[in-house]
Amino acid sequence: MKAFMDEDFILSTETAKKLYHEYAETMPILDYHCHLNPKEIYENKKYDNITQVWLGGDHYKWRQMRSNGVEEKYITGDATDREKFQKWAETLEMAIGNPLYHWSHLELKRYFGYDGYLNGETAEEVWNLCNEQLRGEGRAPRDLIKMSNVTLVCTTDDPADSLEWHKKLAEDETFDVQVLPAWRPEKAMNMAKPDYLDYLVKLSEVSGVKVDSFASLIEALKVRMEFFASMGCTISDHSLDYVMYQPATAEEVEAIFAKRLAGEPVSAVEKKQFETAFMIAMGKEYHKKNWVMQLHYGVKRDNNGKIAGTLGPDTGVDCINNFAPSSEMADYLNALAVTDELPKTILYSLNPCDNASIGTIIGCFQDSSAIGKIQQGSAWWFNDNKTGMQEQMISLANLGLLGNFIGMLTDSRSFLSYTRHEYFRRIMCDLIGGWVENGEYPADYKALEKIVKGISYNNAVRYFGFNL
C-alpha cells in the first residue's frame, strides 16, 4: 500500500515519475486567470489565522460544509474563526474522493510543512501550526506567490475599474512578479440585471463617452480597452450562462438597447440578439489588439434563492447548465472568422459532456497565425478534479493536439491555491506516462520533455506572448 500523499502521489508508473520529477515539478507557474485581489497583493497584509486565508470567500468549501449539515453561522456567519475551522476539518474528513481533500492536504504540506491529515481530532494541532507560521515571516500574500514559483498573475477586472493597485504594483520594484489586469466586461453585457442602467452611468463617467446607444456603449468600452492595454492587459474573459448566437441588424440592436435605456422590458430573444452583437463587437476588438478571448460557459448561477438572496453571488449555489449547444458556439466563432477577425480564443464549458464538441469546434478554426490558436481550456470548476482533468485531456488528445495545450489555471481567490498546478501536473504526467508504458507513445524523452514542459508552462508563455 502506498503512503498517503508521498512524493510519488498519483504517479503510478516509473515513466510518470520521471516525467513529473525531471520535467514538470520545477516548472514555473503562469497564472493567466484567477480572482486574486490586487489590493491584497500590494498591501501584503499578514493573515491572523488559517480560516482567513482558507475559508474566506471559498465557496467550494462552503458547499461541502453545507453538504455535511453544518449550520450557516459556521460557514459564512458570525461564528469564530476557530469554530469555522473546526467545522471545516470535520467536513474534510468525509471528503474522500473529493479534490478538496487533495488540494487541502497539498496546501498544508507545501506551505506549512504538515505531513499528517486534517480531521476533527487534529484540527487544534493544524490550527496552531498554521497560525504560528502565518503570523511570522514568509507567509504574506507576496511570499506565498513567490513560494509557488509564479512568474505572472492576471486578475479579473471590470472595465470601469481604476486599476490603481495594478499601477502601484507595477511601480513597486520590491516585487518582481507581474500582476496584470484581465478584461471582464460582463456587467456591460448583462442588460437584464436590475442595476444595469446605474452601471452605464459609471461606465460613461470613467470613459468620457455618454452611453446612450449601443454604438456609444461599444465606443466607451473601446476607450477603456485602451486604458487596460496601457496597463499591460492582453486577455479578456467572459462568463456566460449559455452559448448564444442570434444575430440581428444594427438597427434592431439599437432598438433593443433603446428599450432597455427607457426601462422597458426586453424579451428573451431580444436579450440574445443584444448579447450576440455585444460579443461580436468585443471579439473584433480583441482581434485588433491581439488579445486572447476566454469564454467560460455552461453554468446556471444562484439556484438557491434563499442563500443567494442573503449572501449574493459566488456563494456555492451554482450548477451545470445543460444548454450549451455546439452549433451556436461554432456559429459565433464563424461570424468572426469569415471577416478574418477571430482572436485567439479559449473555450471552457462547465458541462463535461461538451468536451467532444469543443474538441471538434476548435479544429474548425485553427490557422497559421498561432500554434493552437483556438484552445480547449483546462477542466473548469466542478471538473477540475482528477477524473475531470483526465477526461478533458483524453478528449483533447483524441480530437486535437494535446502537446499544444496551454495547461492549468488557478481560477481561485486564495493565495494557497497554487498547489492545484502540482495536482494537475501529476495527473497529466500519470496520463502521458501510462500511454508510454502501454506502448502507445515511444519512450522518446526529448519529445516527452517538450510536451510536458510545454503543457506545464511554456505553451502558455508562447500563446499569450508575455514578456517573461
Side-chain angles (χ1 to χ4, degrees):
M1 181 175 65
K2 291 185 66 174
F4 171 65
M5 201 167 280
D6 63 8
E7 289 307 300
D8 293 328
F9 174 58
I10 295 179
L11 307 172
S12 60
T13 66
E14 292 304 312
T15 302
K17 295 172 187 177
K18 178 179 176 66
L19 296 179
Y20 178 74
H21 292 303
E22 295 188 17
Y23 304 144
E25 186 173 15
T26 59
M27 292 299 289
I29 290 173
L30 180 62
D31 192 8
Y32 59 85
H33 175 69
C34 73
H35 298 277
L36 294 177
N37 188 332
K39 180 181 179 181
E40 292 183 11
I41 300 175
Y42 179 76
E43 293 181 340
N44 203 34
K45 291 182 179 179
K46 293 180 179 179
Y47 297 98
D48 293 329
N49 59 62
I50 186 64
T51 296
Q52 292 178 5
V53 69
W54 238 15
L55 296 177
D58 192 338
H59 54 84
Y60 285 63
K61 294 186 177 75
W62 298 352
R63 187 181 180 97
Q64 300 312 326
M65 291 170 78
R66 293 181 189 124
S67 296
N68 205 39
V70 175
E71 291 181 57
E72 196 66 30
K73 67 174 289 188
Y74 297 106
I75 303 172
T76 60
D78 59 0
T80 66
D81 286 349
R82 177 64 183 87
E83 290 173 325
K84 290 179 179 179
F85 181 77
Q86 183 68 35
K87 294 298 183 182
W88 167 241
E90 294 168 1
T91 298
L92 189 63
E93 186 175 353
M94 297 293 102
I96 185 170
N98 191 295
L100 283 168
Y101 196 86
H102 293 152
W103 295 348
S104 297
H105 285 93
L106 279 172
E107 290 168 13
L108 291 173
K109 189 180 185 75
R110 299 296 178 232
Y111 296 112
F112 302 103
Y114 182 71
D115 289 321
Y117 42 93
L118 176 61
N119 57 32
E121 294 181 359
T122 62
E124 180 70 15
E125 172 192 4
V126 176
W127 170 263
N128 292 330
L129 172 71
C130 294
N131 293 350
E132 181 181 0
Q133 294 187 43
L134 286 170
R135 292 167 186 158
E137 297 299 321
R139 294 298 184 277
R142 296 191 191 188
D143 301 314
L144 296 171
I145 290 173
K146 293 291 290 184
M147 284 177 68
S148 305
N149 199 17
V150 177
T151 59
L152 185 146
V153 173
C154 287
T155 58
T156 306
D157 309 280
D158 182 82
D161 286 349
S162 69
L163 305 185
E164 61 176 306
W165 302 106
H166 295 87
K167 186 176 186 297
K168 290 180 178 180
L169 282 163
E171 295 170 347
D172 187 348
E173 297 180 356
T174 67
F175 188 57
D176 61 358
V177 177
Q178 295 184 59
V179 181
L180 303 179
W183 174 264
R184 177 101 163 207
E186 61 189 45
K187 288 183 179 179
M189 189 182 77
N190 290 341
M191 61 157 39
K193 295 290 185 181
D195 60 351
Y196 185 68
L197 298 184
D198 293 334
Y199 178 77
L200 295 184
V201 172
K202 183 178 181 181
L203 181 61
S204 297
E205 292 173 350
V206 299
S207 67
V209 177
K210 184 179 180 180
V211 179
D212 55 8
S213 65
F214 180 75
S216 60
L217 169 65
I218 300 304
E219 188 59 35
L221 292 171
K222 288 180 183 179
V223 170
R224 295 304 293 171
M225 288 178 75
E226 286 296 326
F227 171 62
F228 269 61
S230 74
M231 297 297 293
C233 177
T234 60
I235 299 177
S236 69
D237 178 58
H238 294 263
S239 175
L240 309 171
D241 293 346
Y242 50 82
V243 179
M244 85 293 292
Y245 184 73
Q246 193 143 357
T249 66
E251 292 76 16
E252 288 172 329
V253 175
E254 287 291 2
I256 293 166
F257 195 70
K259 285 179 65 176
R260 183 64 184 92
L261 289 177
E264 298 176 17
V266 174
S267 71
V269 171
E270 289 173 327
K271 179 174 177 290
K272 287 184 180 181
Q273 289 174 323
F274 167 78
E275 291 171 346
T276 300
F278 183 95
M279 291 299 300
I280 290 175
M282 288 293 97
K284 291 181 176 182
E285 288 304 311
Y286 302 150
H287 180 265
K288 287 179 184 178
K289 288 185 160 25
N290 195 29
W291 283 14
V292 174
M293 176 169 68
Q294 297 181 95
L295 303 178
H296 288 85
Y297 62 92
V299 57
K300 186 175 185 297
R301 298 182 183 274
D302 304 332
N303 295 288
N304 186 321
K306 181 179 180 181
I307 291 176
T310 303
L311 302 177
D314 301 320
T315 49
V317 291
D318 305 323
C319 72
I320 291 171
N321 185 340
N322 216 29
F323 180 70
S326 60
S327 60
E328 294 196 1
M329 177 59 75
D331 288 343
Y332 168 63
L333 297 181
N334 184 59
L336 296 169
V338 292
T339 56
D340 292 323
E341 294 176 286
L342 178 61
K344 294 178 183 176
T345 302
I346 311 172
L347 305 180
Y348 312 79
S349 175
L350 193 55
N351 191 339
C353 297
D354 293 336
N355 281 335
S357 65
I358 291 176
T360 59
I361 289 170
I362 65 176
C364 298
F365 298 99
Q366 307 289 18
D367 60 44
S368 60
S369 65
I371 296 174
K373 176 180 178 178
I374 314 299
Q375 292 271 336
Q376 179 181 8
S378 62
W380 173 45
W381 198 344
F382 295 129
N383 302 317
D384 58 0
N385 51 63
K386 184 180 178 183
T387 301
M389 291 178 188
Q390 289 172 334
E391 290 180 349
Q392 185 268 348
M393 284 187 278
I394 290 170
S395 181
L396 179 57
N398 284 338
L399 298 168
L401 295 177
L402 181 62
N404 289 336
F405 178 35
I406 58 172
M408 185 63 173
L409 48 78
T410 310
D411 194 23
S412 174
R413 293 166 175 79
S414 171
F415 292 98
L416 297 182
S417 291
Y418 288 111
T419 52
R420 295 182 189 181
H421 287 260
E422 175 183 343
Y423 192 54
F424 165 81
R425 291 175 185 181
R426 288 177 178 273
I427 293 166
M428 180 258 292
C429 289
D430 192 61
L431 179 65
I432 294 175
W435 287 335
V436 174
E437 295 257 347
N438 199 38
E440 297 178 57
Y441 192 89
D444 178 354
Y445 285 101
K446 182 178 180 180
L448 289 166
E449 179 180 6
K450 181 179 180 181
I451 290 170
V452 169
K453 288 185 174 181
I455 296 172
S456 297
Y457 180 74
N458 292 336
N459 291 350
V461 173
R462 178 188 65 209
Y463 184 77
F464 292 105
F466 291 124
N467 183 22
L468 295 170

